[in-house]
Amino acid sequence: MTASIEQLLEQLYGEIEEAKPMPLSSDKCVIDRDRILDMIDDVKAEMPAEIKRAEDLVANREDYIASAHREAEAMRKEAEDYARRLVNEDAIVREARQIADEMLADTEEKCRLLKNAASEYCEDALRRMEDAVADAYDEVKESRARFRSALGAMMDPPPPRRRSMYDAAADEEDEY
């Protein structure tokens, strides 16, 4: 089982710290050269693997950050698109309501104009009919008067007037 560089360096540090001092020197010590060299060789051997792992971790970290940036950018774009669609839908709805309101107002105006035109037409037709009926009534009265006058000329003395239950002509003469 191989030790990590950190563990190897801790062991190396411990060996040097626990080394016996040299006589007459406080900063020099006696160490087991082969043992220390073996430890340094182990550190050297582990170094490329540790550096590779560190590089991999950094690369993975950078990939993760780049992926997070891409994902965040995609989410931002999606949110912008969604907001744009909502704004467009809102604009479309407002425009449709405005068009509907205009169509409704136009239709109501056309209905009002059509109603007025129909009322005027009916009023005119009834007035003409009333005039035609009045003219026909006047013509009937005039024809009747001429008939009486012609009948009266043929008969010298007029026959006595008898009233039936209801005589419209007598009522008319009484009115005038």
Side-chain angles (χ1 to χ4, degrees), residues 128-142:
R128 283 184 282 132
M129 185 181 291
E130 185 180 11
D131 290 346
V133 168
D135 289 344
Y137 180 68
D138 290 342
E139 192 175 312
V140 167
K141 279 180 21 180
E142 190 179 304

Side-chain angles (χ1 to χ4, degrees), residues 21-149:
M22 275 186 76
L24 303 174
S25 174
S26 64
D27 58 339
K28 295 188 180 175
C29 62
V30 176
I31 56 171
D32 181 1
R33 171 188 263 173
D34 289 335
R35 184 167 164 77
I36 297 296
L37 288 175
D38 285 343
M39 291 174 102
I40 290 174
D41 285 340
D42 288 344
V43 168
K44 283 182 178 180
E46 277 297 311
M47 198 78 122
E50 286 289 323
I51 290 174
K52 176 70 173 133
R53 274 185 283 200
E55 287 173 347
D56 288 345
L57 283 174
V58 168
N60 286 341
R61 179 183 164 267
E62 288 173 2
D63 288 346
Y64 181 76
I65 289 171
S67 174
H69 280 289
R70 283 191 303 274
E71 196 172 313
E73 184 63 23
M75 290 173 68
R76 184 188 63 78
K77 284 183 179 179
E78 186 177 324
E80 284 176 353
D81 290 344
Y82 180 71
R84 194 174 300 113
R85 280 193 311 272
L86 286 178
V87 167
N88 288 341
E89 287 175 6
D90 187 45
I92 290 169
V93 168
R94 274 184 285 151
E95 186 176 339
R97 283 187 181 144
Q98 181 182 358
I99 290 170
D101 289 344
E102 289 171 1
M103 289 173 68
L104 183 62
D106 188 42
T107 302
E108 286 173 349
E109 178 64 17
K110 285 179 182 176
C111 272
R112 187 186 63 76
L113 291 173
L114 188 58
K115 201 175 186 183
N116 288 344
S119 294
E120 287 175 12
Y121 175 77
C122 287
E123 181 66 29
D124 186 52
L126 289 172
R127 182 189 49 75
R128 283 184 282 132
M129 185 181 291
E130 185 180 11
D131 290 346
V133 168
D135 289 344
Y137 180 68
D138 290 342
E139 192 175 312
V140 167
K141 279 180 21 180
E142 190 179 304
S143 294
R144 195 165 171 210
R146 282 194 309 250
F147 175 73
R148 281 190 191 145
S149 129

Side-chain angles (χ1 to χ4, degrees), residues 148-166:
R148 281 190 191 145
S149 129
L151 185 62
M154 287 168 75
M155 300 175 122
D156 273 333
R161 264 185 93 180
R162 289 183 310 176
R163 262 193 108 134
S164 64
M165 276 189 112
Y166 177 75

